[in-house]
Amino acid sequence: MSSPDSVLLEECTWPEVETAFENGTRTVIVAVGSIEQHGPHLPLNMDTLDGDELSRRIAAELGDALAAPTIRPGCSGHHMEFPGTITMPPETLMDVIRAYCRSLDEHGFEHVVLVPTHGGNFAPVSTVAPEIAREIDASVIALADLDDHMELLNEGLREAGVEYQQDVIHAGAAETAMILAIENELVRTDRLEAGPEGSISTARLLSEGFESITENGVLGDPSEATADAGEAIFDAVTEAYVERIEAEREAVREETVYDASP
């Protein structure tokens, strides 16, 4: 590509994408974010900023991948009590994901990696990924284990020396740290407010909405966040996801060789 420093698909011209194919790029990362409340201190596009940054880092680390524009909004009905949130039904999100995957498959990508960065998107991604995989030639790699994802965020905090753990993560230490690492001026540090700590019922959050649990839309304590912790979180998630993508791609290659053998 004539813009070798960029792995962002949207910044490429079509000849640059064509050149990327000629140079061996066959993987594309598609983050699935949201536009939803993240307390009084974080912007509505927190999950989208997360998706942009994570897909960029994954593509750069792989070295033979591009990062597609993050899909947004997502499935955020449980945040609709808070102004500014935009949501779509799961079936609509799944149709958008299908459209992305079909387009990217038609252009010649062999591996489409789906990376949800908002909790409400993990189930739709898990549901639609195998359906899409049966429809297109490209393999569809869905990194959609929510418990695993949240544990990676907690792991990043610990690696940065922040001894803070929360089973259900939203607008607290981990996500605030991530935005501090991406663009710290987006964090309204004068509006940091803690939310409920300890055990949180995800079933209640989804059925009754976030306002039934937290008045300010925050879970945990965002004041524990640091930019260094945000970097550590991105490092932890990127490393784990790159390892899984490489394993999945290798499995596909082995299957292709096996199928082609006499």
Side-chain angles (χ1 to χ4, degrees), residues 163-246:
E163 296 300 325
Y164 188 84
Q165 168 105 11
Q166 193 157 21
D167 294 335
V168 180
I169 291 172
H170 187 81
E175 291 193 326
T176 303
M178 295 160 79
I179 299 302
L180 286 173
I182 296 171
E183 200 166 342
N184 64 359
E185 62 269 24
L186 292 178
V187 179
R188 283 67 162 175
T189 53
D190 59 333
R191 301 178 195 170
L192 296 176
E193 297 177 8
E197 301 272 3
S199 179
I200 303 292
S201 170
T202 53
R204 183 180 174 192
L205 284 179
L206 293 173
S207 62
E208 299 182 25
F210 248 68
E211 199 173 44
S212 67
I213 301 289
T214 168
E215 292 183 0
N216 62 4
V218 178
L219 299 178
D221 189 355
S223 69
E224 295 282 346
T226 67
D228 287 345
E231 285 292 337
I233 289 170
F234 280 117
D235 286 346
V237 179
T238 300
E239 180 180 353
Y241 280 10
V242 165
E243 183 176 323
R244 290 167 202 172
I245 293 165
E246 290 177 334

Side-chain angles (χ1 to χ4, degrees), residues 23-28 59-66 109 249 253:
N23 292 338
T25 294
R26 291 291 185 277
T27 300
V28 61
E61 185 67 23
L62 287 169
D64 58 358
L66 291 173
F109 285 101
R249 296 194 306 185
R253 280 192 289 268

